Amino acid sequence: MAWWCFASVTPGLEESLAAELSELGVEGRTETGGVLFQAELPVLYRVQLRSRVAARVTVRVGRFRADQYDALATRVRQLPWKRFVHPRQPLVVRATSHQSRLRHRDAVERKVSLAIGDSLKGPRLPGPRPPREPALVVVRAVKDMVDISVDASGDGLHRRGWRKATGRAPIRENLAAGILWRAGWRPGEPLVDPMCGSGTFAIEAACWARGLAPGRGRSFACERWPTHDRKAWQREVSRAGGGRVRTPILAADRSGEAVRDARSNARRAGIHDDVSWEVSTASKLEPPGRLGEGDKPGLVVVNPPYGKRLETGNASRVYRDLGRALRAHWRGWRLAVLVPDRRLLGPLGISGLESETQFRNGGVRVSLAVGLIGDGA
Ligand SMILES: C[S@@+](CC[C@H](N)C(=O)[O-])C[C@H]1O[C@@H](n2cnc3c(N)ncnc32)[C@H](O)[C@@H]1O
């Protein structure tokens, strides 16, 4: 049976997610904040295990018109909850409402929660205990149309399981992957992150180049569904890896502590030796002789520190120094740089950067600028 599924992502990176899903054989419709697609369980499993860019996947249980709380409860009771929720499993319902008569979020959440409980009632059967983890149900009411979905992911998909040590402003793993997609990076192209912090870009890229599925080391809410198909799951798990592509990757930071943390993250991810690690300021870092014979310039990806999240003193000085270093040592390489304010592209002084993609990173609006590092401004 095919279900409507929604893979979400930070608004701004929907096209990257749609392109990635298409490579996984899933054609969907891009909407604000994600991609809507129809899938049977094996394909849902594949997306969860292998999408690097998605933040979460939900499955639509029902969609109907309702403008009264009792009508809402009646419709919710008729939905196939037994497929997704165990009797007596704890339940968390989160509702949003826009231009709808069901305007009180709390009331919607209470009604839906009670109605799901009613629909799961029945004689108490012997068998395994219900999972302790709550099932998450998401309700969206927009202009009296109600969309009810159940979460298939559990923890956000950015939680790959390798991150323990974080710098002060790590980028989420799925955002890092989305940025690499947006910048057109693919395994095989050399990658350098001169301000690597906890190592997110380098680790994501190295796992990708090794063909390691991002979901290989974690569990998902859909594994706890009463209708979970273990055989189909195992099939997708066994297909989820493979296809290593040799890819030179260099990660550096001026902070020895950051590099130490990044290296222990990389060890947990199983790709430590696929990355060259260096403690260096960006101004001293150069394309290394470590690039192998025949390697062409690749992509410099950089997420410099900025005001709100890190006390940097003078942000424009950081960007000016970075720009100077990039022009001096990295001419001919492509650049993907995150800027909290497009005016900082001025001090960066790299001409021809396109700054189209905007999204939120840890609550801060940022732009992603991509282009070629040439001679000057
Ligand atoms: C926003 S954090 C990068 C976060 C990283 N993308 C992650 O996911 O963890 C910025 C990093 O730049 C480093 N940094 C700041 N100025 C630097 C410089 N001049 N050269 C090298 N690294 C620098 C900081 O130590 C910090 O780890």
Side-chain angles (χ1 to χ4, degrees), residues 169-171 194-198 200-201 253-255 280-282 303-305 310:
I171 192 158
M195 297 186 174
C196 72
S198 60
T200 320
F201 285 112
D253 200 287
R254 70 174 175 194
S255 153
S280 167
T281 59
N303 166 206
L310 291 173

Side-chain angles (χ1 to χ4, degrees), residues 82-128:
K82 287 187 177 152
R83 289 176 173 271
F84 304 106
V85 187
H86 296 259
R88 291 173 287 125
Q89 182 178 5
L91 204 59
V92 171
V93 180
R94 289 206 194 114
T96 52
S97 173
H98 303 284
Q99 300 175 32
S100 285
R101 268 166 278 192
L102 300 173
R103 87 170 58 91
H104 299 293
R105 252 183 35 206
D106 292 357
V108 171
E109 288 172 358
R110 220 172 28 248
K111 278 280 177 196
V112 169
S113 183
L114 288 172
I116 296 174
D118 285 350
S119 85
L120 293 171
K121 264 192 194 138
R124 199 166 159 171
L125 301 171

